[in-house]
Amino acid sequence: MSGTAVTADLKSGQSKNLALATLAFAISFWAWNMIAPLGVRYTEELGLTSGEKSLLVATPVLVGSLGRILAGALTDRFGGRRMFTVLLLATAPFVLLVAYAGEQGSYGLLLLFGFFLGIGGTTFAVGIPFVNAWFTADRRGFATGVFGAGMGGTALSSFFTPRFVNWFGYGMTHVIIAAALVVVAFIVWSLMKDSPAWSPNTDPVVPKLSAALKLPITWQMSFLYAVAFGGFVAFSTYLPTYLKDVYDFDLTQAGTRTAGFAIAAVICRPIGGVLSDKVGPRLVAAVAFAGAAVMAVVVALQPAAEVPAGVSFVVMAAFLGLGTGGVFAWVAAAAPKERVGSVSGIVGAAGGLGGFFPPLVMGATYNEEDHSYTIGLMLLCITAVGALLFTLFGIKKKPANVSARQDVGP
């Protein structure tokens, strides 16, 4: 196919396939985040300690993180259409099994099925190479930013899951989300197409991942994404618990405010991608990490409920959203074309793991007497400052493995 024909086909299919990928990402992230909005409910019904509660909330993040490594590599080989369909269908049964575990009042089964619920979180590593192949290099920051807004599935989950439980019941809520996963899988299989600029990378998975791990950009972006996206995931999953402990909000109130946090990050992620196309991802990432460090201190001071606290968390979310958009625009610009899926999978896994540990740290450092998470928030501030310094001084202006954007065009 000629270059002109490929460009024409890209333009005709870009919007539809970007929208489908974002939809698939959003519903899978809703499922991935089914446990966290109900964390307060599980704590009260099962009599969980702070540590047990933190582990339950964080467990789905683990497989959703590590699974991205394999999902990204398989996407290079099988394409986004097939991988989205398979992962959506694979997630649905575990949504139902989590409901079963909750109805049985079994903490062990909740941990087990919550672990596999993390399959829903792996779709991120499918979508990045999928949309990357649909757009030319100068618009990949925009494309990955818009797709990344699908992480708003966590906002949908935080807002609607507690309400669905009130409206339809605990078990039926899980049935509805499982059915939605199946319906979206059918839509994806029927309407989605892989980019005409994409071609399968049939290299064996292990050598492919090994090659990606040898690229400096993989490790550099993994660290930055672990801080940016990890911070978002950590807050999205643990904020209902935080708001209950510090401000004494009930399940629905905490879910509503957590949804507001997630929405702010979702809106700012594509903004981060677009700004990266214009001023470069380094500057966007630096601003994001500086802002996150400052806001961690502000939140640690426990501003008063509603407006002061709400504004503080929204601004924190905005900086984290900018950071996630900026870092993945950097990945799209710097990763070799044939390694985008593998690199995205590894970087995405680092981001997910970045969200796995903070809830455990927050639970371990919670001062129950003072209702304070000061130590955990100060650790976040220190980490964000480290990411800022690394962004500014730790990454070469022109990585040796890439020639600006020319190496990643279709």
Side-chain angles (χ1 to χ4, degrees):
M1 184 180 293
S2 68
T4 302
V6 169
T7 301
D9 285 345
L10 287 178
K11 290 183 178 179
S12 67
Q14 283 176 342
S15 298
K16 181 184 76 171
N17 284 283
L18 177 58
L20 289 170
T22 305
L23 170 64
F25 182 34
I27 191 63
S28 64
F29 253 43
W30 183 331
W32 188 39
N33 194 43
M34 285 289 288
I35 289 178
L38 302 178
V40 174
R41 172 194 175 101
Y42 292 132
T43 300
E44 294 174 350
E45 291 186 350
L46 303 180
L48 304 181
T49 65
S50 178
E52 290 172 334
K53 174 175 57 180
S54 299
L55 181 62
L56 177 62
V57 168
T59 292
V61 178
L62 183 62
V63 73
S65 306
L66 296 177
R68 292 177 187 180
I69 299 174
L70 181 60
L74 291 175
T75 301
D76 282 339
R77 181 165 189 168
F78 296 110
R81 172 175 174 262
R82 187 178 300 180
M83 288 299 297
F84 268 128
T85 303
V86 168
L87 293 175
L88 289 167
L89 292 176
T91 304
F94 292 104
V95 172
L96 300 177
L97 288 170
V98 164
Y100 171 77
E103 289 175 339
Q104 295 300 309
S106 172
Y107 179 69
L109 287 178
L110 275 172
L111 284 178
L112 175 63
F113 298 139
F115 178 87
F116 288 104
L117 187 65
I119 291 171
T122 65
T123 55
F124 176 78
V126 176
I128 290 295
F130 175 80
V131 302
N132 201 56
W134 270 107
F135 287 80
T136 54
D138 61 333
R139 298 193 68 212
R140 285 190 178 140
F142 160 78
T144 56
V146 170
F147 167 74
M151 68 186 189
T154 59
L156 295 173
S157 185
S158 296
F159 185 84
F160 284 109
T161 298
R163 286 170 169 78
F164 276 22
V165 170
N166 289 334
W167 297 339
F168 309 118
Y170 174 80
M172 183 54 63
T173 295
H174 290 75
V175 171
I176 291 170
I177 302 306
L181 287 166
V182 174
V183 169
V184 173
F186 175 77
I187 293 172
V188 164
W189 184 255
S190 302
L191 301 179
M192 182 179 278
K193 291 183 179 180
D194 289 299
S195 168
W198 172 79
S199 58
N201 182 338
T202 57
D203 294 343
V205 171
V206 173
K208 189 190 311 182
L209 291 174
S210 178
L213 287 169
K214 292 177 182 177
L215 298 173
I217 196 67
T218 303
W219 293 101
Q220 293 163 351
M221 295 301 106
S222 290
F223 170 62
L224 297 185
Y225 202 61
V227 179
F229 185 72
F232 166 76
V233 171
F235 272 105
S236 295
T237 56
Y238 201 77
L239 198 53
T241 298
Y242 181 99
L243 294 175
K244 172 67 169 62
D245 291 339
V246 176
Y247 295 103
D248 200 28
F249 289 126
D250 64 24
L251 187 65
T252 301
Q253 291 173 325
T256 300
R257 288 156 180 79
T258 301
F261 174 90
I263 288 171
V266 166
I267 291 172
C268 288
R269 179 161 187 154
I271 294 174
V274 172
L275 289 175
S276 296
D277 287 338
K278 296 182 180 299
V279 302
R282 185 190 302 271
L283 178 58
V284 173
V287 170
F289 291 129
V294 171
M295 294 313 301
V297 176
V298 172
V299 171
L301 296 175
Q302 294 187 12
E306 300 309 339
V307 175
V311 170
S312 299
F313 279 110
V314 166
V315 174
M316 167 72 85
F319 280 121
L320 293 174
L322 285 175
T324 57
V327 171
F328 251 94
W330 210 335
V331 172
K337 176 182 175 182
E338 71 279 5
R339 302 291 180 201
V340 170
S342 299
V343 173
S344 297
I346 295 169
V347 174
L353 287 174
F356 174 73
F357 293 105
L360 301 180
V361 173
M362 295 291 273
T365 60
Y366 174 55
N367 185 328
E368 189 170 359
E369 182 177 347
D370 296 332
H371 302 286
S372 170
Y373 285 95
T374 301
I375 295 175
L377 289 166
M378 288 302 97
L379 290 174
L380 170 61
C381 176
I382 293 169
T383 304
V385 170
L388 169 62
L389 295 175
F390 184 71
T391 298
L392 294 175
F393 308 112
I395 303 175
K396 294 179 181 179
K397 298 290 183 182
K398 294 181 180 180
N401 64 299
V402 66
S403 177
R405 296 181 183 270
Q406 282 72 23
D407 286 354
V408 293

